[in-house]
Amino acid sequence: MLGLFDRPLVKDWIVWWTVFWVAMFGCVAAFSAPDSGSPDPTVAGDVFAVIILGVLFAVVPAAIRLVIRKVVARRAPAPVPVGGYAPYGYWPAGSVSPVPAAVSPPGAPPQPPAWGLVPPPLPPSPPPVPPPLRATSDPAAGGPRPEWPPESGTTPAAAAPEPSPASGARLTKDRPTLSPADVLDTSSLAGSSALLAGRRTLPFPAGRAIHAVQVALDRKDQYEATIDSGDALTLCLGITVAAWLRSINPRSEAVAECMAALIEAIQTGGAAQGHWLGMLERFARLPEEVGEPFAGARAAFRRAKGGRGLLNDLDELLRERNLSAHGGRPRNPFEAGARLLDGERHPPLGSLLEDAVERVAGLAATQWVLIESGKYTRDGVFQVDASLIMGDNPSFDRIKFNSPVPLVDGDLYFRGPHGHISLTPFVLMRYCETCRQPELCYLDRVDNRKGAVLKSFANGHA
């Protein structure tokens, strides 16, 4: 009898319909008073009435519903097979092969196993049609030779394979459309030889930032580290050039004009990346007699035609920094990877960073050092013990060198064409109250009450 109902029973409406009427009749029978002239009601009569009511409202509707369902299913058309296959248990008329005999006659093709009904064999697909051959002249053989494919003009063996974005090769606008796997793969920048050389040879603020690019776990972290690397490169270049101009002749009219906007920004509200880039562009226009802090500095700071050059690369990275700071940052790693690699909507930030690092290779010769101690020798020179603030390792190497002039303990210097030049007051090593350790800081602004306000390269703590 339970086969008449749907499973589970709690989801069948006929069951609840029956329970409702049985409960209703039970309440009426229990609380209704008998007439004065009628005999006393018996319990057996009530139970019999409940059984009759259950059969009337449960078994009969369920049996009628089952009959209706069988009639509808018998009259329904069989499903049409798609692509030669039909759902399990349904095959059109005439398409079912009988179960083969146990033994096939000699010479007959092999029969399918006798485990039930099998679908008919699929029609054979037509063979692929190769593209037509086109006869061309072969200078070596002196006769015609086939050429395939007709559009390329080369054989498949001679076609050059497409470079993989994960191989460390630089991606440009001429590359084919990137797949989602390429966009999310961080190895294109993690394996870059230009970035690897830069993080090992450039001053520590730039090397640390480039190191973060290559060890990032996903594209979003790599995007943030890329624009941070652009800021660090700009600061290292600007500080080196500013210290160089301050050492040669700070009272020179050309030098004062080159430094005026930067000094004004430091004294008013703080120097932004745009102030440092503007100072570098003005330095490139100074006379040749001023010299340069390292070989190739003046040529690197000149803007080339067609939007190329070091300053153009740093400008694009700065523009992306401003876009990210004003609500335009990527929302997920896929969008961040597209900005790093694809140059259709945004500049390819990864290639811009690689180009910038290659163009400032001469900065590696400056060798930033932190003076630990110095002593005067009988030879008339000062023997200096210093830490080399270069590369991406925060455990700085210790070096010793001789200097014809005394150098201040605790100050930072860089090696110029004619000796070591002080980076003070632009860069200092100071104890950070937030980090609880010494940090390399740069001059951000000058406050009338607090004096010089320094900001950490690593985390921006002031």
Side-chain angles (χ1 to χ4, degrees):
M1 184 180 295
L2 292 179
L4 299 175
F5 302 98
D6 295 338
R7 299 295 180 88
L9 296 178
V10 294
K11 292 186 177 181
D12 194 344
W13 64 272
I14 295 182
V15 174
W16 292 108
W17 173 264
T18 306
V19 170
F20 170 76
W21 285 109
V22 169
M24 180 68 68
F25 178 78
C27 292
V28 172
F31 295 103
S32 62
D35 296 336
S36 58
S38 62
D40 294 338
T42 60
V43 177
D46 293 340
V47 173
F48 181 74
V50 170
I51 294 175
I52 294 299
L53 193 64
V55 171
L56 182 64
F57 286 98
V59 178
V60 173
I64 296 174
R65 183 181 62 179
L66 180 61
V67 172
I68 294 175
R69 286 180 177 178
K70 289 183 177 181
V71 172
V72 172
R74 191 178 299 112
R75 292 182 179 180
V80 179
V82 179
Y85 294 95
Y88 176 78
Y90 293 94
W91 294 98
S95 63
V96 179
S97 301
V99 179
V103 180
S104 300
Q111 299 295 329
W115 52 64
L117 301 180
V118 294
L122 297 178
S125 57
V129 180
L133 298 178
R134 186 176 61 189
T136 57
S137 176
D138 187 358
R145 62 178 176 87
E147 182 181 1
W148 185 90
E151 296 81 8
S152 62
T154 58
T155 61
E162 289 290 343
S164 172
S167 61
R170 189 168 307 171
L171 291 170
T172 62
K173 296 181 181 180
D174 299 333
R175 294 295 180 90
T177 303
L178 299 172
S179 66
D182 297 333
V183 173
L184 296 176
D185 187 11
T186 60
S187 61
S188 58
L189 291 179
S192 172
S193 58
L195 297 184
L196 182 60
R199 67 185 254 198
R200 292 177 176 176
T201 58
L202 292 178
F204 175 70
R208 177 202 59 82
I210 298 173
H211 174 84
V213 174
Q214 295 199 296
V215 300
L217 297 180
D218 59 25
R219 282 298 194 185
K220 201 167 184 181
D221 293 341
Q222 203 169 57
Y223 167 84
E224 298 288 346
T226 298
I227 57 180
D228 288 343
S229 299
D231 294 348
L233 278 177
T234 302
L235 286 172
C236 290
L237 290 170
I239 289 170
T240 303
V241 173
W244 162 260
L245 294 176
R246 185 172 176 270
S247 67
I248 54 175
N249 189 2
R251 297 184 179 181
S252 171
E253 182 178 352
V255 173
E257 182 181 356
C258 180
M259 297 279 292
L262 177 64
I263 294 177
E264 181 181 0
I266 292 176
Q267 293 176 348
T268 53
Q273 304 299 322
H275 295 104
W276 291 103
L277 288 175
M279 187 269 296
L280 294 176
E281 188 172 2
R282 290 188 295 271
F283 168 76
R285 296 195 296 263
L286 290 179
E288 296 288 344
E289 294 78 13
V290 176
E292 53 187 10
F294 56 88
R298 190 183 302 277
F301 298 149
R302 291 195 182 100
R303 294 187 182 271
K305 295 181 180 180
R308 297 182 178 180
L310 173 61
L311 295 186
N312 298 90
D313 297 339
L314 296 178
D315 278 342
E316 293 292 345
L317 292 172
L318 174 58
R319 189 175 295 109
E320 188 67 27
R321 157 72 75 185
N322 295 335
L323 177 65
S324 176
H326 292 85
R329 67 177 59 214
R331 294 163 293 182
N332 49 61
F334 186 84
E335 184 179 353
R339 295 194 191 185
L340 288 171
L341 300 182
D342 193 0
E344 293 183 3
R345 296 186 179 181
H346 297 273
L349 303 180
S351 298
L352 292 178
L353 180 61
E354 288 177 317
D355 292 341
V357 170
E358 288 181 346
R359 290 188 171 104
V360 299
L363 186 62
T366 57
Q367 282 197 350
W368 288 20
V369 293
L370 173 65
I371 306 301
E372 302 291 349
S373 63
K375 58 182 180 181
Y376 186 73
T377 64
R378 293 183 177 181
D379 299 334
V381 295
F382 292 88
Q383 190 177 32
V384 180
D385 188 7
S387 297
L388 186 62
I389 315 297
M390 302 292 288
D392 59 346
N393 192 347
S395 300
F396 306 128
D397 295 334
R398 299 294 290 267
I399 61 172
K400 292 183 179 181
F401 59 89
N402 295 331
S403 173
V405 295
L407 304 179
V408 181
D409 292 354
D411 280 8
L412 276 89
Y413 291 79
F414 79 93
R415 187 172 65 183
H418 308 293
H420 285 82
I421 299 173
S422 176
L423 292 169
T424 306
F426 300 106
V427 179
L428 295 169
M429 182 72 77
R430 289 294 182 266
Y431 182 80
C432 179
E433 295 291 343
T434 306
C435 301
R436 304 283 182 173
Q437 63 180 1
E439 289 287 343
L440 195 62
C441 307
Y442 65 93
L443 179 62
D444 181 51
R445 65 185 184 274
V446 176
D447 191 273
N448 294 331
R449 293 178 300 175
K450 299 180 181 179
V453 178
L454 303 176
K455 185 177 288 187
S456 171
F457 278 102
N459 43 47
H461 295 162

